Amino acid sequence: MTLSIRNQLPGTVTAVTTGEAMASVKVRLAGGQDITAAITADAVKDLGLAEGSAVKALVKSTEVALATGRVEGVSIRNQLAGSVTDVATGGAMSSVKVSVEGGELTSAITKDAVEDLGLKAGTSVVALIKSTEISLASA
């Protein structure tokens, strides 16, 4: 199966907390960072997820926000430090490639945001991803 989701980060499940409808799945990415995905309890069963399961974290580019430093006081727990490797800007939107330890992310953000943050190759950034925006696939 081919997916349009460019952001596919390999990792290993470190914990699964399942409720009646939803589950919180903690994943240690190949680069050593920890992320949390909020997925349905049915998805946990369907994928057979348990501690030690190999997975890929899937995140659409439009769901990856960027900041120039760690952001405190927000509920976004998934904050991955990295650096910009490339910026492609169109009339309204930009595609920003970010290198993180163990992988690469693409963020689709507005042209204005790129300008406001002064993003260019080499800029240090933090990728912000809500737990509800991370899907998991068995690896």
Side-chain angles (χ1 to χ4, degrees):
M1 171 173 51
T2 303
L3 296 173
S4 66
I5 299 174
R6 305 192 71 70
N7 299 320
Q8 298 186 27
L9 302 171
T12 304
V13 173
T14 58
V16 178
T17 305
T18 305
E20 188 172 323
M22 296 295 292
S24 174
V25 181
K26 294 186 188 293
V27 176
R28 167 80 33 97
L29 298 177
Q33 311 93 320
D34 292 311
I35 63 167
T36 301
I39 63 175
T40 65
D42 287 342
V44 170
K45 286 185 220 169
D46 292 348
L47 295 172
L49 297 181
E51 190 172 324
S53 297
V55 295
K56 284 189 180 179
L58 309 172
V59 187
K60 290 174 47 180
S61 298
T62 53
E63 303 303 337
V64 179
L66 298 176
T68 54
R70 189 152 176 82
V71 180
E72 301 297 331
V74 297
S75 64
I76 300 173
R77 304 188 96 56
N78 299 316
Q79 298 192 27
L80 305 176
S83 63
V84 174
T85 59
D86 186 53
V87 178
T89 301
M93 297 294 293
S94 296
S95 175
V96 181
K97 293 194 183 313
V98 177
S99 175
V100 296
E101 193 168 335
E104 183 175 85
L105 293 170
T106 299
S107 175
I109 60 175
T110 64
K111 174 183 169 185
D112 291 343
V114 168
E115 292 170 358
D116 290 348
L117 296 173
L119 300 180
K120 60 184 185 283
T123 304
S124 292
V125 293
V126 174
L128 308 168
I129 310 165
K130 291 174 49 177
S131 298
T132 53
E133 302 306 334
I134 297 176
S135 298
L136 297 177
S138 38

